[in-house]
Amino acid sequence: MKNNNDTAQTPKELLDELQTLVTEAEAMIAGSGTEHSSDAFDSLRSRFGAAQERFTDAYAGARKKVIAGAKYTDETIRANPYQSLAIAAGIGLLIGVLAGRRSQ
């Protein structure tokens, strides 16, 4: 079921789907176990597995983007150390001025 494009893809949709699964599982647990067929449990289990795969894929994609951004930032800072230092000092000064105004 990996890379299933017709299912929820955004983080909000994934969370909504997970909340639905949890609600259904709680409803099954609240009722007696004999009322629900094994097919319902199997369906719930397979839907959870599919959601777990999509979460894993989303995590892997986000992790790759963060690592790529960190590498790019590191390369840029190493290529322009003085400019990077000046920008960091300017941002620190700006934050200091803004924080000082709020405290007055």
Side-chain angles (χ1 to χ4, degrees):
M1 286 189 188
K2 232 175 190 178
N3 295 332
N4 194 356
N5 291 333
D6 62 343
T7 58
Q9 294 298 319
T10 66
K12 180 164 178 16
E13 289 172 339
L14 289 172
L15 287 175
D16 289 343
E17 183 178 346
L18 186 59
Q19 286 176 336
T20 303
L21 287 171
V22 168
T23 303
E24 289 179 20
E26 287 174 347
M28 285 183 173
I29 290 171
S32 66
T34 57
E35 291 179 9
H36 303 287
S37 68
S38 64
D39 292 337
F41 284 115
D42 290 340
S43 172
L44 188 64
R45 200 173 283 130
S46 67
R47 287 174 46 209
F48 177 75
Q52 189 177 18
E53 284 182 10
R54 287 191 300 277
F55 273 114
T56 302
D57 292 343
Y59 171 76
R63 185 168 188 234
K64 285 180 183 178
K65 288 180 182 179
V66 168
I67 290 173
K71 285 181 180 179
Y72 176 75
T73 302
D74 184 56
E75 291 170 0
T76 302
I77 289 172
R78 289 181 189 273
N80 305 305
Y82 296 114
Q83 289 175 341
S84 300
L85 185 61
I87 290 170
I91 291 173
L93 179 66
L94 180 64
I95 290 172
V97 168
L98 293 175
R101 284 186 174 178
R102 288 189 181 186
S103 64
Q104 291 178 353

